[in-house]
Amino acid sequence: MARTVIVVIDGFGIGAMPDAGVPRPGDLAADTCGHVLDHARTAFGRPLRLPVLEALGLGLVHGHPDLARRTGLPVAAGRAALGYPGADTFAGHQTMMGADFSRVAVARLGDHLEEVAGALTEAGHRVERVDGGPVLVVDGAVLVHDNLEADPGINWNASGALDDLPFEGPGGILAIARTVRAVAPVARVIAVGGHADGPLSGFVRPGDGGTAGLDTPATGFYRNGGLRVRHLGAPLDHTRQLPELAARAGIPVTLVGKAADILVCEGATHRPAVATADVLADTLEAVRADGDALVVANVQETDLAGHQQDATRYGQLLEQVDAGLAGLVALLAAPGDRLIVTGDHGNDPTIGHAHHTREYVPVLIHRPGEEGVELLPDAGTLADVGATAALSLALAPEELASGSPLRPVGRASAPRP
């Protein structure tokens, strides 16, 4: 029996990459993990309690006074560069699963207004510009705009209030997003529906790099319940990604949390969820099933706390995740089982803005049946994480579009600075 579980703590970076200062020079100081740990000393009057992440080797790859530098578990620990431009959840997960996302298109909506408006008009919609700026309002209800939560030009959104129109169905938010997707050059068009605190036009603001869009956290979408999201990605060969590779080999695949929204695998069990408790419970349930398994889970609420610049909430969520990881470590105890804990980008809640931060992410691998604690080389791309998982499932990593398995380079002694 081979069981491999990948838990992605969304927005969990461990220090700025060398190019993190583009386009925001201040992001060179980003350190999501370190700054949340520092904040906890003041907010809680004590260090964060992260015994499982410490046991998995977090302190080996991120030197911090509040993280243990040794562990008795059989782990391999390292860090990964992102391997794609910017800092984006969709691109991060697609890359991690084996796609080559190093050349995604970067484009502002404002440079493609005529093309997008034309496609929407041809589809029978009424299209106007919000106050003459680079944001479109469709049928008086749905805003098409730059995504302000990612780096400029990476993603576009189609956002609507569910009190005004449905998410699915003819004329709904998703249908409008699909029309935009057909002509968009960017990596992702995101359909978003939620319950807002007021008219969406009142939450439009300028972004970095000449972008403009909806301040989604300010709308109340994330607080008010009923959030609906669909990620419409650029064309990819999903047959050369880890979930499809596993499914073709007869390995049951379960996608949990945001991973269920953004990864494509026809044969997978999809368990979308936002609440961290639900994500952890669904992941544990999938692991308890008999037989082989690939489980990919995304803990989204950490990323939301980063967007809301709420370091206290971020710390609370890390402790909740740590408690859930304890159950996974206990269940994944057979030789050949693997638990891989990583991130998709950073989202430093202390950096002074609500964007993702371009940071290295941890790669922490629990390896029952192995001996000792080993260090992994720096991965040049998140695709190496997927290739490593493929190898643990006795799949052929070379069948993925990108990535090479990570192999230990030596025994652990002292953590990286």
Side-chain angles (χ1 to χ4, degrees):
M1 184 170 67
R3 299 178 296 177
T4 292
V5 179
I6 302 174
V7 175
V8 182
I9 305 176
D10 204 315
F12 190 49
I14 57 172
M17 291 176 56
D19 59 355
V22 181
R24 295 176 295 274
D27 283 10
L28 284 171
D31 180 358
T32 301
C33 177
H35 291 156
V36 170
L37 288 168
D38 293 341
H39 176 82
R41 285 277 185 168
T42 301
F44 306 142
R46 59 168 175 81
L48 280 185
R49 299 186 178 111
L50 305 175
V52 181
L53 284 168
E54 291 178 90
L56 292 172
L58 181 59
L60 297 174
V61 299
H62 188 288
H64 190 280
D66 292 340
L67 293 175
R69 302 188 178 200
R70 285 177 171 77
T71 174
L73 288 182
V75 300
R79 64 179 186 174
L82 302 185
Y84 63 89
D88 175 65
T89 295
F90 179 83
H93 282 69
Q94 302 301 337
T95 300
M96 192 182 301
M97 293 300 105
D100 182 0
F101 242 63
S102 61
R103 297 180 180 176
V104 296
V106 176
R108 298 176 302 178
L109 176 62
D111 295 332
H112 296 268
L113 285 177
E114 184 175 342
E115 183 180 5
V116 174
L120 289 164
T121 300
E122 186 175 346
H125 298 287
R126 175 170 53 87
V127 183
E128 302 169 289
R129 294 171 66 169
V130 175
D131 297 328
V135 174
L136 301 177
V137 57
V138 183
D139 298 334
V142 175
L143 299 186
V144 178
H145 58 94
D146 292 303
N147 181 304
L148 301 185
E149 297 172 52
D151 285 321
I154 295 292
N155 304 318
W156 298 348
N157 282 22
S159 304
L162 296 176
D163 296 323
D164 297 332
L165 76 172
F167 187 75
E168 299 184 73
I173 299 165
L174 181 58
I176 291 169
R178 284 177 169 149
T179 299
V180 176
R181 170 73 275 175
V183 295
V186 294
R188 180 169 44 147
V189 173
I190 310 172
V192 182
H195 298 286
D197 294 333
L200 294 187
S201 58
F203 300 101
V204 172
R205 64 170 177 82
D208 292 339
T211 60
L214 188 68
D215 185 345
T216 305
T219 64
F221 276 8
Y222 296 147
R223 300 188 306 272
N224 295 335
L227 182 69
R228 298 291 305 277
V229 179
R230 187 74 62 84
H231 301 262
L232 306 177
L236 291 172
D237 185 357
H238 296 292
T239 66
R240 299 189 65 191
Q241 291 187 287
L242 179 62
E244 285 287 356
L245 192 63
R248 288 200 303 274
I251 298 172
V253 177
T254 305
L255 306 176
V256 182
K258 198 171 183 178
D261 295 325
I262 59 181
L263 296 178
V264 173
C265 180
E266 187 174 341
T269 298
H270 290 71
R271 294 181 174 177
V274 175
T276 299
D278 293 340
V279 172
L280 295 172
D282 287 346
T283 303
L284 284 165
E285 182 180 344
V287 174
R288 288 190 183 103
D290 293 333
D292 299 342
L294 169 65
V295 182
V296 183
N298 172 281
V299 178
Q300 183 182 2
E301 285 193 302
T302 45
D303 189 51
L304 299 182
H307 287 309
Q308 294 160 359
Q309 301 176 69
D310 190 341
T312 298
R313 175 64 174 153
Y314 201 120
Q316 292 167 337
L317 289 163
L318 279 182
E319 291 190 331
Q320 184 179 4
V321 171
D322 196 88
L325 291 175
L328 290 173
V329 169
L331 284 173
L332 296 167
D337 284 348
R338 292 293 183 267
L339 170 63
I340 302 175
V341 179
T342 187
D344 51 352
H345 51 74
N347 198 339
D348 190 333
T350 72
I351 203 68
H353 61 70
H355 298 288
H356 293 158
T357 43
R358 186 165 169 80
E359 299 179 50
Y360 292 102
V361 297
V363 182
L364 312 176
I365 306 177
H366 181 228
R367 311 170 302 157
E370 302 292 332
E371 292 186 0
V373 178
E374 294 184 298
L375 292 178
L376 299 170
D378 281 350
T381 170
L382 286 172
D384 293 349
V385 176
T388 303
L391 194 64
S392 73
L393 290 165
L395 302 172
E398 61 270 18
E399 292 187 24
L400 301 173
S402 183
S404 300
L406 294 167
R407 303 184 187 279
V409 293
R411 295 290 180 181
S413 55
R416 289 183 172 90

